[in-house]
Amino acid sequence: MNILVVNAGSSSLKYQLIDMNTEKPLAKGTAERIGIKNSVLTHKVPGREPVVIEKKMKDHKDAISLMIKALTDSKTGVIASMDEISAVGHRVVHGGESFARSVLIDETVIRAIEKNAELAPLHNPANLMGIRACQNVMPEAKMAAVFDTAFHQSMPEVAYLYAIPYEMYQEKKIRKYGFHGSSHRYVALKAAEMLNRPIEELKLINCHIGNGSSVCAIKYGKSVDTSMGMTPLEGLIMGTRCGDLDPAIIQHIMNSYKMTINEVMDVLNKKSGFLGLSQYSSDNRDIMKAAQAGNKQCQIAVDALEYQLRKYIGAYAAAMDGVDAIIFTAGIGENSPELRTNVIGGLSFLGAAIDEEKNLLREDNMDISAESSRVRVLRIATNEELMIARDTLELISK
Ligand code: AMP
């Protein structure tokens, strides 16, 4: 049984066709520059050369049609027809308070996603374009929506309320929602499997550190706190996002630089974080290389992320009154042994210690703790697409 996973952005669309018997991708790809000049679809099948198809895609419907052609074509394809796709799972960024789990898509769900676009104006409309395009091209297919925010709906009020007038929460739903839910959930389940213990008795801190980053406290299988907020801007220093900030700074920047609120938000979303601090790059690999070559600002950017991570881990250990395992995942978390060494190196008060030889090994999922460590330290390769596909399969099997 095959499930197609679709992640639609405003001008891009990523897809993965997963064989649910093996849980491995049969094919994956990305359509880029949808609706603008030089649109291109890159289609990858494991064991074959990637195929690059340069073709005009005026909208997401064109992108879906091209994806279907790539999947079913006698040369590039992996299936004979769309009948071999059992259902489609869509990533949707913001489920607001409407969704605490994944759901099959119907018109009521679509209206709720539209309503939640107030909270994610960049993401939800793009996700909806992907859903509408699929409905158009594959009218018979069953579809599920899997929300980035859903996993965090278990947070208690003390964690999700901001200390602003309460009616702003009641009237406008201004609160912490959290993101990367599919990743945090996948990693928590994998961690329980690796530790060979029921998730219901584990206290986990998962560090999803990539271009966008968030930490999540997962107590007995449920998210109880996370570092991103009402939007993905809060929390850790990220590639280009500022993370935690004194809100009064916004007014100060507006006055000092004669900027509009939209211009300031652009600075905080796109010109801050690693890029802003280093004045060099938003990419961790670039920054680490430059730091090693003596670039002081790049070194500060790296040090600042590691410092913030230690603070969040300390805070979440306190929030859960203990921690059994600290996990690193996503682009930086999985691939930077230096980050793991430096973060765990500052957590000896928790009894956490790393085995430096294991830390350097390149296996997907590994327990990298030293034997003496009181807290397990794990490296886990996240797989949000598989989590979306599993949810979709479960929903259509009901
Ligand atoms: P993601 O958003 O999860 O794809 O992560 C992207 C980030 O991971 C970028 O900042 C990359 O520089 C970083 N990254 C990817 N591979 C490595 C690596 N081998 N070592 C250090 N950072 C890496």
Side-chain angles (χ1 to χ4, degrees):
M1 183 175 277
N2 304 322
I3 302 282
L4 178 66
V5 176
V6 172
N7 180 358
S10 54
S11 66
S12 71
L13 186 142
K14 290 188 193 144
Y15 62 89
Q16 240 185 66
L17 183 65
I18 301 179
D19 175 350
M20 295 310 286
N21 296 323
T22 59
E23 294 202 329
K24 298 267 182 267
L26 295 170
K28 53 173 102 170
T30 312
E32 288 166 290
R33 304 180 61 81
I34 300 170
I36 36 184
K37 257 211 276 188
N38 304 329
S39 42
V40 58
L41 184 133
T42 312
H43 178 75
K44 294 180 183 165
V45 175
R48 296 191 207 157
E49 282 293 306
V51 183
V52 178
I53 305 164
E54 287 170 15
K55 192 156 187 274
K56 189 173 172 197
M57 290 177 260
K58 64 177 183 317
D59 53 23
H60 286 67
K61 207 170 131 223
D62 283 355
I64 295 281
S65 300
L66 203 59
M67 168 196 78
I68 290 176
K69 185 159 184 330
L71 287 170
T72 53
D73 183 83
S74 60
K75 285 206 194 85
T76 60
V78 288
I79 49 173
S81 79
M82 293 310 285
D83 295 344
E84 291 179 46
I85 297 178
S86 303
V88 186
H90 290 271
R91 176 189 181 213
V92 181
V93 167
H94 220 305
E97 288 190 329
S98 324
F99 301 103
R101 57 189 54 82
S102 306
V103 287
L104 282 177
I105 296 175
D106 57 20
E107 277 307 311
T108 317
V109 168
I110 288 188
R111 274 198 298 279
I113 298 172
E114 268 165 2
K115 186 156 188 306
N116 287 321
E118 280 174 16
L119 297 165
L122 297 179
H123 294 102
N124 275 28
N127 303 150
L128 272 174
M129 281 198 277
I131 294 173
R132 291 276 190 221
C134 271
Q135 285 179 325
N136 221 300
V137 180
M138 308 152 71
E140 301 301 323
K142 283 192 179 156
M143 301 200 195
V146 179
F147 302 91
D148 272 25
T149 50
F151 181 55
H152 305 295
Q153 279 296 299
S154 48
M155 284 189 290
E157 282 172 321
V158 289
Y160 73 68
L161 285 176
Y162 293 114
I164 55 175
Y166 191 67
E167 66 270 18
M168 293 187 177
Y169 164 62
Q170 289 173 307
E171 290 163 10
K172 296 287 170 193
K173 298 291 169 211
I174 298 172
R175 51 160 283 182
K176 181 186 275 281
Y177 289 97
F179 298 85
H180 290 141
S182 299
S183 173
H184 288 304
R185 192 154 56 99
Y186 174 84
V187 167
L189 291 168
K190 179 60 84 181
E193 188 187 311
M194 286 168 70
L195 297 169
N196 200 18
R197 286 178 63 187
I199 198 164
E200 293 77 15
E201 61 181 48
L202 287 171
K203 295 174 183 174
L204 306 170
I205 297 175
N206 185 35
C207 310
H208 176 117
I209 314 298
N211 210 4
S213 301
S214 68
V215 190
C216 186
I218 304 158
K219 189 175 181 184
Y220 310 146
K222 293 191 160 61
S223 168
V224 290
D225 206 346
T226 190
S227 57
M228 282 179 169
M230 187 183 88
T231 76
L233 189 56
E234 190 181 339
L236 295 166
I237 295 173
M238 301 177 225
T240 61
R241 286 174 241 161
C242 60
D244 295 333
L245 194 77
D246 176 352
I249 290 174
I250 294 176
Q251 187 189 34
H252 194 71
I253 298 178
M254 287 173 77
N255 292 339
S256 306
Y257 290 93
K258 305 281 171 272
M259 282 187 188
T260 64
I261 186 68
N262 286 345
E263 285 167 341
V264 179
M265 292 317 290
D266 200 57
V267 168
L268 301 182
N269 271 300
K270 297 186 185 151
K271 296 177 184 150
S272 298
F274 267 178
L275 179 63
L277 267 181
S278 71
Q279 294 186 302
Y280 184 76
S281 171
S282 62
D283 189 280
N284 181 60
R285 273 169 296 193
D286 295 349
I287 293 211
M288 284 184 52
K289 221 163 138 191
Q292 274 152 17
N295 182 318
K296 198 159 169 286
Q297 268 175 262
C298 285
Q299 189 62 54
I300 288 172
V302 173
D303 292 348
L305 171 64
E306 291 169 359
Y307 173 70
Q308 280 197 346
L309 252 175
R310 283 199 301 275
K311 284 209 299 189
Y312 266 104
I313 293 170
Y316 288 171
M320 294 191 289
D321 194 12
V323 52
D324 296 298
I326 298 166
I327 309 144
F328 292 90
T329 194
I332 306 176
E334 288 168 35
N335 294 307
S336 174
E338 294 88 348
L339 173 105
R340 297 190 295 261
T341 298
N342 294 338
V343 170
I344 297 297
L347 296 173
S348 57
F349 78 102
L350 285 176
I354 254 182
D355 179 320
E356 279 308 335
E357 273 177 35
K358 288 185 187 159
N359 188 31
L360 291 173
L361 296 178
R362 286 222 151 259
E363 269 171 53
D364 269 1
N365 304 317
M366 270 206 78
D367 186 331
I368 55 170
S369 2
E371 254 178 55
S372 61
S373 187
R374 272 194 282 129
V375 176
R376 307 321 298 165
V377 184
L378 310 178
R379 194 185 81 206
I380 295 180
T382 193
N383 195 338
E384 291 165 279
E385 292 79 9
L386 180 56
M387 202 71 243
I388 293 172
R390 281 183 187 165
D391 276 11
T392 306
L393 179 61
E394 196 188 316
L395 283 165
I396 61 164
S397 309
K398 268 184 189 161

